[in-house]
Amino acid sequence: MTALPQERRVLTAIPGPKSQELQARRSAAVAQGVGSTLPVFVTRAGGGIIEDVDGNRIIDFASGIAVTSVGASAEAVVRRASAQLADFTHTCFMVTPYEGYVAVAEALAELTPGDHAKKSALFNSGAEAVENAVKIARAHTKRQAVVVFDHGYHGRTNLTMALTSKNMPYKQGFGPFAPEVYRVPVAYGYRWPTGAENAGREAAAQAVDQITKQVGAGNVAAIIIEPVLGEGGFIEPAKGFLPAIVEFARENGIVFVADEIQSGFCRTGQWFACEDEGIVPDLITTAKGIAGGLPLAAVTGRAEIMDAAHSGGLGGTYGGNPVACAGALGAIETMRELDLNARAKEIEAVMKARLTAMAEKFDLIGDVRGRGAMIAIELVKDRATKEPHPGAAAALAKACHAEGLLVLTCGTYGNVLRFLPPLVIGEALLSEGLDIIEEAFGRL
Ligand SMILES: Cc1ncc(COP(=O)(O)O)c(C=O)c1O
């Protein structure tokens, strides 16, 4: 097959006629609860381009929600996964093991923060990894309570819905939710009432106070946080917040879990976002970027905590599937070879410069934030009141889609436009995508 040209090409309305035909079939056959941001039906994807059935080539600022950091058809992922596919597709690691699983666990031990002894267990999805981190923390501490944060997102299974902050669309009508989950404030600098400079210290004090008074530190098995909150709006907790929470966890024998499912694997310009403040989590959950688009997730952490669950207590039929493990080894090889941490930092520099300049022109932009290739703008009706403007986020996304640029929205208030390009996107596509965003503002 010929390589996918790295050029935007808009041949039809987006979605075009063939996509619309498929969408009609889809509406009849697929449950409406499964939505799609942009219903163009894909034939090929790679680098920074997604090609659809109508021949349109769309610039990808989404990476399948922070998954295809190495691209959606990375050579090493395809090569290794194809070879594995030809050898065997599955045996179930819990029945007869294979080397790929062990090799991924070894790579995770090497790449995750901290030089202590580490072990891993592999799963299929991010939500499953988070669920298992809770199981492991409970087995280790013999406690039950789990503390999470405002604006946090951890998945759509029953326990992870309980851990997730936002009601619509994730939780509405799906309760009752798992018990023993407690939510406390996070240091959301842009919206912190006394100013961003106080957010880290004050939010940590409030969180600790609430945990101590309302839950009892001695009842808490785990504190789980995304080092950069993803679905909640690409919120980087203000400096000092994460170290204070880690210190509180350490003092009280609580397992500190970093959910790096969205922020991990070079996305923020470091292997893991928690490295930014030198955080060494007890457990770390990973998925998304780990395997170049194949379904794989992991819990990695201190060997003595990971070994707390009894033999047979963790697992699942497909967890650590051999093809997905081969994909992960290919993705990690690509990240190392292309130094995608450095590339993410270059993307940050380009995006922040352009978006900051746009913020000088367009009052709608209340905040430009994020790290690496995990960048967002928060849109407001009024800079003084910071009243969220979800309508502007939706309109801008729609305008970008029509021009052949895929962007996503997020945020508790639905007013954040987020940009997650593959880390292998070319310079020209990156700046063309930013041009399209700027033009979309001009036309609002
Ligand atoms: C931080 C975080 N945790 C957990 C999940 C859930 O992962 P999955 O959709 O693979 O179950 C996500 C997905 O967006 C996420 O961003």
Side-chain angles (χ1 to χ4, degrees):
M1 188 185 284
T2 54
L4 180 58
Q6 294 297 297
E7 280 165 21
R8 180 174 68 112
R9 183 171 79 174
V10 178
L11 298 177
T12 68
I14 293 179
K18 289 186 182 153
S19 277
Q20 287 181 30
E21 258 175 63
L22 283 164
Q23 179 67 5
R25 272 174 58 196
R26 170 230 172 109
S27 298
V30 178
Q32 71 156 356
V34 186
S36 292
T37 304
L38 177 58
V40 296
F41 283 73
V42 177
T43 48
R44 291 197 291 173
I49 288 287
I50 295 170
E51 188 179 79
D52 74 13
V53 283
D54 291 290
N56 298 306
R57 294 198 183 120
I58 292 166
I59 302 177
D60 183 9
F61 273 16
S63 300
I65 322 185
V67 171
T68 50
S69 299
V70 294
S73 45
E75 186 278 329
V77 174
V78 174
R79 172 172 37 84
R80 285 182 182 247
S82 305
Q84 179 58 51
L85 206 47
D87 285 345
F88 63 97
T89 56
H90 174 83
T91 60
C92 185
F93 192 77
M94 299 186 307
V95 178
T96 48
Y98 38 87
E99 187 184 351
Y101 190 119
V102 178
V104 170
E106 288 167 349
L108 285 163
E110 193 191 325
L111 295 173
T112 52
D115 49 15
H116 49 277
K118 290 177 214 155
K119 291 193 176 184
S120 288
L122 304 186
F123 304 97
N124 303 293
S125 69
E128 215 188 326
V130 174
E131 292 244 358
N132 278 280
V134 172
K135 283 167 65 172
I136 293 162
R138 284 178 171 159
H140 173 71
T141 58
K142 308 203 166 35
R143 304 171 182 177
Q144 293 186 354
V146 179
V147 171
V148 287
F149 293 84
D150 287 338
H151 310 288
Y153 178 87
H154 300 286
R156 294 172 181 267
T157 57
N158 188 265
L159 174 57
T160 57
M161 273 194 293
L163 302 176
T164 289
S165 175
K166 190 175 174 178
N167 178 52
M168 207 45 195
Y170 307 122
K171 301 165 78 163
Q172 176 63 36
F174 299 145
F177 304 111
E180 286 304 317
V181 172
Y182 302 89
R183 191 176 317 287
V184 298
V186 74
Y188 187 168
Y190 177 63
R191 292 193 174 275
W192 195 254
T194 59
E197 63 286 4
N198 301 316
R201 190 172 34 81
E202 290 181 8
Q206 286 183 18
V208 165
D209 188 60
Q210 286 185 20
I211 297 167
T212 316
K213 303 289 181 338
Q214 297 175 21
V215 193
N219 296 320
V220 179
I223 297 178
I224 309 179
I225 190 162
E226 302 157 81
V228 177
L229 288 81
E231 302 303 303
F234 282 21
I235 301 163
E236 297 173 81
K239 296 283 177 242
F241 181 78
L242 288 174
I245 298 295
V246 172
E247 193 187 330
F248 172 75
R250 293 276 135 77
E251 282 167 358
N252 291 283
I254 299 168
V255 176
F256 179 84
V257 184
D259 179 348
E260 294 258 13
I261 286 165
Q262 190 156 163
S263 55
F265 281 101
C266 307
R267 180 51 57 186
T268 64
Q270 292 176 294
W271 281 99
F272 297 97
C274 63
E275 292 169 53
D276 191 57
E277 285 188 277
I279 306 285
V280 178
D282 299 315
L283 300 182
I284 180 162
T285 54
T286 51
K288 290 189 182 280
I290 189 175
L294 291 157
L296 189 72
V299 183
T300 301
R302 294 183 190 281
E304 67 279 15
I305 300 179
M306 290 299 296
D307 278 340
H310 52 274
S311 179
L314 305 177
T317 305
Y318 294 115
N321 169 271
V323 181
C325 286
L329 296 171
I332 292 167
E333 176 188 321
T334 308
M335 290 172 193
R336 285 193 160 122
E337 266 180 14
L338 302 183
D339 192 0
L340 290 187
N341 281 319
R343 181 65 193 132
K345 288 195 177 120
E346 286 165 16
I347 291 173
E348 172 180 343
V350 171
M351 289 200 126
K352 283 234 175 116
R354 288 289 303 274
L355 294 168
T356 309
M358 285 182 221
E360 278 166 25
K361 287 204 324 210
F362 307 116
D363 288 346
L364 278 173
I365 302 178
D367 196 22
V368 178
R369 59 176 178 251
R371 293 207 295 271
M374 189 172 182
I375 302 289
I377 49 179
E378 178 157 357
L379 303 166
V380 290
K381 291 187 178 154
D382 177 336
R383 280 192 179 163
T385 64
K386 299 186 180 171
E387 186 186 342
H389 201 335
L396 285 163
K398 200 168 160 215
C400 290
H401 296 168
E403 293 299 319
L405 170 69
L406 178 57
V407 295
L408 303 175
T409 60
C410 67
T412 299
Y413 313 106
N415 65 328
V416 177
L417 260 191
R418 60 170 154 171
F419 311 118
L420 290 161
L423 305 178
V424 294
I425 194 170
E427 275 312 320
L429 284 182
L430 185 64
S431 68
E432 194 179 351
L434 288 158
D435 292 343
I436 292 171
I437 294 165
E438 184 157 6
E439 284 158 22
F441 268 105
R443 275 190 269 113
L444 260 198

